Each structure stands twice: as structure tokens, then as C-alpha cells.
Amino acid sequence: MIISMKLHSTREEIDQVCERIREFNYKVHSIEGEERVVIGVVGMGDVTACLESVEAMPQVEKAVRISVPYKFVSKEFRPHRSQIRANGVDIGGDEFVVMAGPCSVENEKQIMQAAEGVARAGAKFLRGGAFKPRTSPYDFQGLEEEGLKLLAKAKAATGLGIVTEVMSDRDVELVAGYADILQIGARNMQNFALLKTLGKCGRPVLLKRGMSSTIKELLMSAEYVVAHGNPDVILCERGIRTFETATRNTCDITAVAVLNELTHLPVILDPSHATGKRSLVPALSRAGVAIGADGLIVEVHPAPEKAVSDGAQSLDLPRFQAMMNELKPYVALWSTARASELAAAV
Ligand code: PEP
Ligand code: MN
């Protein structure tokens, strides 16, 4: 259920409504705007009785039953886009945000060159895995904390925000000490213990769609993080498994538009894992801008032929710079569309 309070309700009135809801054994989560307060109600109980009781309270404007199971992340809960701030940059706002960097943090020279190059080209975040989820246990598993320290060094040198993967609930605190955004990889989208821990991590979360997950499952995983206390979730389409073998994954580009209809959370596109081929990354990135993604996360390596992971899909720095230049007219159209949307929302 979602309860919308009347404009300028007082603290006491809000508390009275929350108290009444709790009497039905539900939990409440309120979102408090400057003028209006919206209360989300979750749990198991007698919905009809609770709804009727709350609707009868004079300070309540509207009480609605929500049909979707992902209440907090749904458009019904919050009709306008959520903007998520990390390292001074708003994702989901009036800026198309590009995150870029290597698949894995390998050594100081590699990450510094990548960071300087992507910053010069206009990226706002440096990506790079210090904990790597690899299909083979014999493949490079990441530099772990040493990698996080290198990312911190790159941040200090460039000012870029850091987005890096956390694979286990045990490491959330450690990674949150270095990262501006915690990435949850496709393979961990339904690691519920991890999702619960992220509720208290104090950092925005970049949640990648599982390779065999539906859009609804992605939203349910986002709901886990939000329901456990962290509203700052950014969703990422990174391609799914299909019968097609021409690309590493099949980019469900429509998922971006579908998510924009269903949720207020920002949505970004990963054209690197979606294709597996660097030659396809610029075209898919343009599609991401055109379909209304809030940004991109792109793999970029100073020497892709030497990369320890995902070299084939990584752009080198000149190619990344060229792609960013080619994206400019598309991003200009995106900005015009977004500005009118934001103006209409106030
Ligand atoms: C990555 O970003 O390098 C990665 C492992 O991505 P995904 O979880 O989408 O496969
Ligand atoms: Mn990768």
C-alpha cells in the first residue's frame, strides 16, 4: 500500500497515520518531500481493513493498494525520477553520466593511465574490478584490497568517482571504504544476503541485471536493497543469455525503456558486456543515449591486447575518446529531452 498525506501535514499527523498502520502489523517507510509525505506500507496483513481505516483519517489524501510486488522502486511510489548523488555527480538528473575503465584493476600504471584517459574524454566515474567474478577458478581473481588502494590513488589524481564490484557480504564494509558506488555483478543479482547487507552500506549501489533474470526479478532485487534501508540503487542492463551467439550476450535494449516506465530508479547501459566486441560498443552506446538511459558503463583499457580480462570488448583510449566525441550530438538531444521532462516534473 502507498499512503499519500495531504499537503503540509504535520509531524504529529504523519506519526498518527504510521501508528495506525503499525497496529495492523505492517512496517512503514516514509519518503518526506518538502511539501508532501508519502508512506510506503509493507508486510503481511489485512490490506483491506488497513486501507479502509487509514483512508478514513482526515490527514490522508489517498491510500492505494499496489499491485506490483516491488513497491518502493515502482513509479507508483515515486512518479518522478530519483537522482542519485555520488562523488558530487547526480545520476538520473540532467547529465548523461559515463563510467569507464578497465574490467580489472591490474597494476598502478594501467589504472592511472586508464583514469587519466577516461577523465580527459569526459567520463565522471572510473570503473575497475578489484574483486572479480570469473567463470574459471584458474583465471585472475582480482587484486582485492591492493586494487581498491590503486583505485583510491586514481581518484586522488583525477577526481573521478569510483565504481567497483563487491562480491560478498563479508567485503561490503571494506569496499564501501574506497568506492563511491558499489557494483553488484550479474552473477550476484540474486545474492540475497549481499543485497540485504547493501541496505546498510551507506553508498549507492549499481545493480547489474542477471544474465538469466527477468526485468521483474531485477526490480525485486533492487527492492531488497531499498527495503533494507538504502534507496540509492542504479540499475544496469548488461545483456542477457539467449540462443544468439554472434554477441557475448544479447542486449535487451528495450529493458531500458521498460524500466523507465516501471521504476523511478536511474538506469544505465553496459554496452561492453552486452556485446563482448569492441567494434559494437559505439553503436550500442548511441542506442543507449537514444533510448533514454541515464548513462553508460564502458570497459576501457590503455592496452586491451594485454588486458587480463575482457580485452576483446575493451576500447583503447583513442577509441574511447572518439566514441565520446561521436556521442556529443546524441547527448545534446538527450539533454534537451531531459530538461523538458525535469521542467514538467516540478
Ligand atoms: C564487469 O563489470 O566486469 C562484470 C563482471 O560485469 P557483469 O557482472 O555484468 O558480468
Ligand atoms: Mn568485465
Side-chain angles (χ1 to χ4, degrees):
M1 270 172 289
I2 290 175
I3 318 292
S4 182
M5 299 292 295
K6 288 199 172 136
L7 282 181
H8 308 296
S9 300
T10 64
R11 181 79 266 151
E12 203 187 345
E13 289 170 337
I14 298 161
D15 291 345
Q16 276 170 5
V17 172
C18 291
E19 203 37 55
R20 175 73 57 86
I21 296 164
R22 286 197 197 95
E23 284 166 18
F24 286 88
N25 288 326
Y26 285 109
K27 282 191 176 152
V28 297
H29 292 255
S30 58
I31 290 193
E32 313 210 350
E34 269 172 29
E35 295 188 323
R36 194 187 294 280
V37 171
V38 176
I39 303 166
V41 182
V42 282
M44 301 280 281
D46 188 340
V47 189
T48 313
C50 182
L51 209 62
E52 280 175 4
S53 168
V54 169
E55 258 177 340
M57 299 178 84
Q59 53 279 56
V60 170
E61 171 139 312
K62 209 168 155 197
V64 281
R65 189 178 190 149
I66 292 298
S67 48
V68 288
Y70 41 85
K71 199 165 303 191
F72 294 129
V73 306
S74 73
K75 266 271 163 73
E76 281 125 323
F77 189 58
R78 179 176 274 194
H80 303 306
R81 288 178 195 279
S82 285
Q83 299 188 14
I84 296 178
R85 179 162 277 250
N87 198 42
V89 177
D90 285 329
I91 299 142
D94 60 2
E95 183 183 4
F96 187 81
V97 178
V98 177
M99 309 175 181
C103 180
S104 305
V105 181
E106 298 169 12
N107 55 61
E108 181 165 346
K109 187 172 166 219
Q110 172 242 20
I111 200 68
M112 294 306 263
Q113 281 183 353
E116 280 156 13
V118 301
R120 219 178 302 124
K124 291 290 158 71
F125 289 86
L126 175 67
R127 63 145 291 149
F131 292 88
K132 293 305 303 178
R134 304 307 300 281
T135 301
S136 166
Y138 309 115
D139 285 345
F140 178 66
Q141 304 286 307
L143 297 180
E144 304 191 347
E145 191 166 4
E146 191 195 332
L148 297 174
K149 288 186 174 146
L150 294 178
L151 287 168
K153 229 175 172 172
K155 177 179 177 174
T158 58
L160 290 170
I162 298 298
V163 52
T164 193
E165 180 160 355
V166 58
M167 284 169 53
S168 151
D169 49 335
R170 283 192 316 269
D171 298 323
V172 166
E173 213 180 305
L174 172 74
V175 180
Y178 293 91
D180 296 290
I181 301 176
L182 300 187
Q183 177 179 326
I184 302 307
R187 293 156 190 82
N188 261 321
M189 190 203 85
Q190 288 190 314
N191 179 338
F192 300 115
L194 177 57
L195 298 177
K196 287 179 190 175
T197 308
L198 293 166
K200 300 279 174 290
C201 73
R203 293 268 182 261
V205 170
L206 171 57
L207 182 63
K208 297 187 97 178
R209 180 179 180 182
M211 56 188 91
S212 305
S213 298
T214 63
I215 290 171
K216 184 175 168 189
E217 286 163 342
L218 172 62
L219 289 168
M220 289 308 291
S221 289
E223 184 82 2
Y224 257 90
V225 181
V226 179
H228 281 83
N230 185 354
D232 294 338
V233 181
I234 302 155
L235 303 172
C236 179
E237 166 60 38
R238 48 76 74 205
I240 51 174
R241 283 264 166 95
T242 68
F243 52 81
E244 182 55 73
T245 54
T247 47
R248 180 178 178 183
N249 291 289
T250 297
C251 180
D252 182 8
I253 190 76
T254 317
V256 177
V258 173
L259 287 166
N260 275 331
E261 279 191 1
L262 297 178
T263 178
H264 54 87
L265 298 176
V267 182
I268 67 166
L269 180 70
D270 175 345
S272 309
H273 293 85
T275 58
K277 277 187 188 166
R278 83 171 60 88
S279 63
L280 300 174
V281 169
L284 189 52
S285 297
R286 287 197 296 277
V289 181
I291 205 161
D294 293 291
L296 299 171
I297 182 162
V298 187
E299 285 189 342
V300 178
H301 195 288
E305 66 289 353
K306 293 192 190 136
V308 300
S309 58
D310 289 349
Q313 67 194 32
S314 299
L315 300 173
D316 59 15
L317 291 166
R319 280 192 176 88
F320 179 65
Q321 176 71 255
M323 180 180 98
M324 291 293 277
N325 290 340
E326 285 161 20
L327 281 179
K328 276 184 187 152
Y330 298 86
V331 172
L333 288 171
W334 180 100
S335 299
T336 310
R338 183 57 63 93
S340 46
E341 186 194 310
L342 291 174
V346 285

